[in-house]
Amino acid sequence: MEKAIAGALRAAQEAGELPRFKIPNIPVSPPKRADQGDLSYPAMGLAKLARKKPIDIASLVLSGMPSLEFACELELAPPGFINCFISRAYLRRQVDAIIAEGESLFQLDIGSGKRAQVEFVSANPSGPITIGHTRGAVVGDAMARLLEAAGYEVQREYYYNNAGAQMIKLGKSLRLRYLERLGAAVELPAGYYQGEYLVDVAADLVAEYGDSLRDEAWQQFIALAESRMFDWIKRSLASIEIEHDAFYNETSLFETDKIWQVLHVMRENGHIYESPYWEGAAEEEIADVRAKGYQPATWFRSTSFGDEKDRVMVKSDGEPTYTLPDIAYHCDKLERGFDIAVNVLGTDHFSQAQVVKHGIRALGMDPEPIHVIFNQMVRAVRWNEDLEEYEAVKQSKRAGDFDTLDDLVAMTSADAVRYHMLARSPNSQLDFDVDQVVKQSNENPVYYIQNAYVRCAGIFREAAERGVADDGADLNLLGEDELRFIRKALELGNVIEQAVTHYEPHKIAFFAHELAAVFHPIYDRVRVLHSEVPPETAKARLRFYRAASVVFYRLLRLMGMSAPERM
RNA sequence: GCCUCUGUAGCUCAGCGGAAAGAGCACCGGUCUUCUAAACCGUUGGUCGCAGGUUCGAGUCCUGCCAGAGGCGCCA
């Protein structure tokens, strides 16, 4: 439609009916109300350029437009809209087209031949997957699925840190828990991992190795802790159908000297200097540094790239900060040649991500392929009757307080966790209402959507039993209700494209709910197997529900949710 | 203090600069001898935080203010 309008405008210009001007973007979009058509173009924006009334411009365009394959009716509406109504014949044809496409319905080609990477979760192996990680996990995986639907070859990657001080603490903590299990009286110092889960791991170790690890150093316990934690993390993620293709650890960047090569290039490019404090430090900061007696550290002059202050790359004790390997990692990522590298992070990593981008520029590289989705904070809440407000579910070391992915899945379901984590713009904070998600009622959109698929499956079962088939169905027997559903379903292609190009996977969740809301009333009115429905009509309707079920299946799979045959 | 995000119905939230602000839940009233009612139909509910500005047109863009969340480490 965009092309047709642009063509009509050009023709009008050449015929002298419109003055010459550069034709701007043609903003065609579906209007809010059904009587305004399926696609709409406002010509008001051209009023100034063309020095004519919007309605006159729209009229000129209308008369110059060729007939479109899918349109049966173009309509002029004040103050200057052109509304396009998709023809019923076209919609009827789509029933068969949808069924033919099946599981690859609306498989787009905007990413064909291109490679995309989604890095998500990336939690360090020091504990279970929390509710915060879960949001990143769900958003990242949905993004990956949408990129696949858009035609990209997608890699899911998990980056983790197994090098720093935190892992040392973890190893030491586990060693103490192990000794405790063997009967020693221990007390975990402040800053050690207090979580009960290490007690369980220690119990496992005793069961497996007895007391043979008694004299091992804490270093041995780091490796043990890491592998146990990862087993747990992978199992948790698998429970909501999430699996990564690659695990990339920070240690490898040290082993390959990558971080030092990166630092070298940054230095060559003149962005590195040695100093006890950063160049722009205020006197207070300088005094503070003197008081602490710091030796010179290695600084990255990130202020050259718009940062508010410079950042330490190598501490005065010779150890790199987290930032340097992070820059090296993203450098490696870009060198692997991805056309798109999506990074799903919590908003608490905002500053860090900016510094990494500055670092990439300091290497003389273009950070453009990197796109970060920042998820706002998420917390589990429940309604407090007495206070009449939501309150956060308190974090607790004891089980059953919903602060881990495992707890959430146990209390609700994998599908519910996925849907609720996805059905929100990443920009808005998420309060995960545990009680509402637990309810399996019409309050819960998860089941509302899945039930659409289930209802289709129910019809197919019954039809098979009664020997009703849909082959050779005459789709002209479909009514307005069914065509309205098809019309809405055809928006899915656009939704996928929007979700991918704007990195907004939540759009798919809202669309799924909207489509289900179109479906259910139709299911109520449009019966297939009923004594008053003529056999030929039943056949056509069965064919329609076949198409509907294909659409819902595709939607549910794009969200990583299951498509049950019955509930 | 600076940076990012948020403020839309009683609650939780959608809403690409376009036509008369949307959905779910809650509330109220109806629908099961029918392919499972986890559904459907109807009613109620709004100064889009406040104030300016840009525009033919602003919930949407800009500025300021108010309120909430997160971040501004020689932590990761």
Side-chain angles (χ1 to χ4, degrees):
Chain A
M1 179 156 173
E2 284 92 338
K3 278 181 201 159
I5 291 169
L9 283 168
R10 234 170 267 123
Q13 286 180 331
E14 270 162 36
E17 293 167 324
L18 284 175
R20 302 227 166 232
F21 54 84
K22 190 169 179 290
I23 294 167
N25 283 345
I26 311 288
V28 171
S29 60
K32 286 174 192 159
R33 298 202 338 251
D35 60 296
Q36 294 167 345
D38 300 302
L39 283 171
S40 179
Y41 168 67
M44 288 85 87
L46 296 176
K48 199 166 255 183
L49 280 167
R51 293 190 296 278
K52 272 182 180 298
K53 284 185 197 161
I55 192 81
D56 294 337
I57 301 168
S59 170
L60 275 171
V61 172
L62 194 57
S63 60
M65 276 178 75
S67 68
L68 300 165
E69 180 217 347
F70 52 80
C72 75
E73 195 181 334
L74 288 168
E75 176 193 85
L76 197 62
F81 288 99
I82 295 175
N83 295 332
C84 161
F85 295 79
I86 294 174
S87 83
R88 288 168 179 73
Y90 178 80
L91 292 174
R92 290 197 180 95
R93 284 201 297 279
Q94 297 316 302
V95 172
D96 284 335
I98 287 168
I99 294 168
E101 288 191 62
E103 293 186 13
S104 56
L105 181 65
F106 290 111
Q107 180 68 36
L108 309 179
D109 59 6
I110 53 180
S112 68
K114 294 182 187 168
R115 295 169 64 226
Q117 190 215 46
V118 183
E119 184 217 323
F120 63 114
V121 187
S122 295
N124 290 338
S126 57
I129 295 293
T130 65
I131 191 168
H133 298 136
T134 303
R135 185 178 193 180
V138 168
V139 168
D141 188 60
M143 191 70 233
R145 286 167 191 257
L146 286 162
L147 283 164
E148 283 167 347
Y152 287 91
E153 182 196 328
V154 179
Q155 185 202 37
R156 293 164 169 82
E157 185 154 292
Y158 188 123
Y159 174 68
Y160 66 101
N161 171 329
N162 55 347
Q166 294 306 314
M167 290 305 287
I168 292 172
K169 273 182 193 160
L170 182 72
K172 288 182 173 175
S173 303
L174 178 59
R175 178 169 170 273
L176 289 177
R177 288 296 193 198
Y178 174 76
L179 295 176
E180 180 182 58
R181 181 73 186 180
L182 290 179
V186 300
E187 193 167 326
L188 263 65
Y192 277 45
Y193 285 85
Q194 309 288 337
E196 294 287 316
Y197 55 88
L198 283 184
V199 175
D200 298 335
V201 174
D204 286 348
L205 290 181
V206 171
E208 199 165 326
Y209 298 101
D211 65 354
S212 64
L213 303 174
R214 184 188 292 277
D215 299 319
E216 295 287 348
W218 53 263
Q219 284 87 343
Q220 298 304 315
F221 283 87
I222 292 183
L224 285 167
E226 182 182 325
S227 81
R228 301 282 160 152
M229 289 299 122
F230 254 122
D231 287 347
W232 189 6
I233 287 169
K234 286 178 188 173
R235 214 165 39 239
S236 297
L237 291 174
S239 77
I240 55 170
E241 236 187 280
I242 289 177
E243 198 177 331
H244 289 81
D245 303 308
F247 287 79
Y248 195 114
N249 68 54
E250 185 185 335
T251 307
S252 66
L253 293 163
F254 287 82
E255 287 164 355
T256 60
D257 272 343
K258 181 73 181 173
I259 64 163
W260 306 118
Q261 291 161 18
V262 160
L263 186 67
H264 178 73
V265 174
M266 289 169 79
R267 195 188 297 276
E268 295 263 290
N269 292 346
H271 301 298
I272 297 292
Y273 62 89
E274 319 288 333
S275 168
Y277 40 82
W278 75 285
E279 290 174 342
E283 290 195 16
E284 283 176 22
E285 289 176 65
I286 294 172
D288 188 47
V289 167
R290 289 218 173 101
K292 286 178 180 165
Y294 281 141
Q295 294 301 302
T298 303
W299 293 80
F300 165 34
R301 195 178 291 110
S302 56
T303 45
S304 309
F305 301 93
D307 204 354
E308 55 186 0
K309 59 178 295 189
D310 294 341
R311 310 285 168 171
V312 172
M313 293 292 105
V314 183
K315 296 185 266 182
S316 47
D317 64 5
E319 289 294 315
T321 59
Y322 173 79
T323 311
L324 180 56
D326 209 2
I327 292 170
Y329 168 58
H330 282 87
C331 168
D332 176 73
K333 214 189 245 188
L334 290 173
E335 284 170 349
R336 281 186 272 160
F338 294 107
D339 297 286
I340 291 179
V342 181
N343 198 352
V344 181
L345 296 174
T347 182
D348 52 332
H349 287 74
F350 182 80
S351 300
Q352 174 68 18
Q354 297 304 310
V355 176
V356 168
K357 280 197 180 181
H358 298 145
I360 293 296
R361 288 202 183 85
L363 290 167
M365 299 174 80
D366 181 6
E368 199 272 329
I370 299 173
H371 180 88
V372 185
I373 298 176
F374 289 106
N375 279 318
Q376 294 291 321
M377 209 184 84
V378 48
R379 56 178 193 159
V381 298
R382 58 189 354 173
W383 183 256
N384 183 315
E385 291 287 342
D386 301 329
L387 299 174
E388 293 193 340
E389 62 183 21
Y390 282 104
E391 62 180 7
V393 174
K394 289 195 185 67
Q395 256 189 301
S396 160
K397 286 171 207 129
R398 301 218 174 87
D401 276 340
F402 322 112
D403 52 359
T404 69
L405 169 55
D406 291 350
D407 293 338
L408 287 175
V409 171
M411 291 307 299
T412 63
S413 69
D415 289 330
V417 168
R418 287 203 67 133
Y419 182 80
H420 286 278
M421 286 289 178
L422 187 62
R424 193 133 330 185
S425 159
N427 284 340
S428 63
Q429 289 170 43
L430 194 160
D431 284 346
F432 194 92
D433 183 336
V434 174
D435 295 319
Q436 190 194 323
V437 174
V438 168
K439 279 188 201 169
Q440 300 199 352
S441 69
N442 59 355
E443 293 172 39
N444 197 324
V446 179
Y447 303 99
Y448 189 78
I449 297 165
Q450 284 181 322
N451 194 32
Y453 183 81
V454 168
R455 287 179 134 180
C456 291
I459 296 175
F460 304 150
R461 272 198 304 276
E462 189 64 23
E465 222 165 87
R466 301 193 195 181
V468 178
D470 64 10
D471 53 305
D474 177 7
L475 297 173
N476 288 314
L477 296 171
L478 295 179
E480 286 303 307
D481 273 334
E482 297 92 302
L483 296 185
R484 179 156 16 85
F485 178 87
I486 297 297
R487 196 179 282 130
K488 178 74 183 173
L490 292 179
E491 290 175 25
L492 177 55
N494 266 329
V495 172
I496 293 172
E497 184 176 345
Q498 292 290 311
V500 166
T501 55
H502 294 129
Y503 304 99
E504 291 179 325
H506 69 283
K507 286 188 187 297
I508 197 78
F510 284 96
F511 178 75
H513 192 273
E514 285 170 17
L515 192 66
V518 174
F519 176 86
H520 287 300
I522 294 173
Y523 175 88
D524 243 44
R525 286 193 293 265
V526 183
R527 299 272 159 175
V528 178
L529 308 164
H530 191 271
S531 54
E532 287 168 28
V533 178
E536 285 307 306
T537 306
K539 205 169 240 202
R541 288 179 176 177
L542 185 61
R543 189 83 180 149
F544 161 75
Y545 282 110
R546 193 80 67 189
S549 111
V550 167
V551 177
F552 281 113
Y553 184 85
R554 175 67 154 155
L555 267 172
L556 288 166
R557 295 311 299 150
L558 279 172
M559 293 189 287
M561 291 167 64
S562 64
E565 298 292 314
R566 47 178 98 224
M567 301 223 281

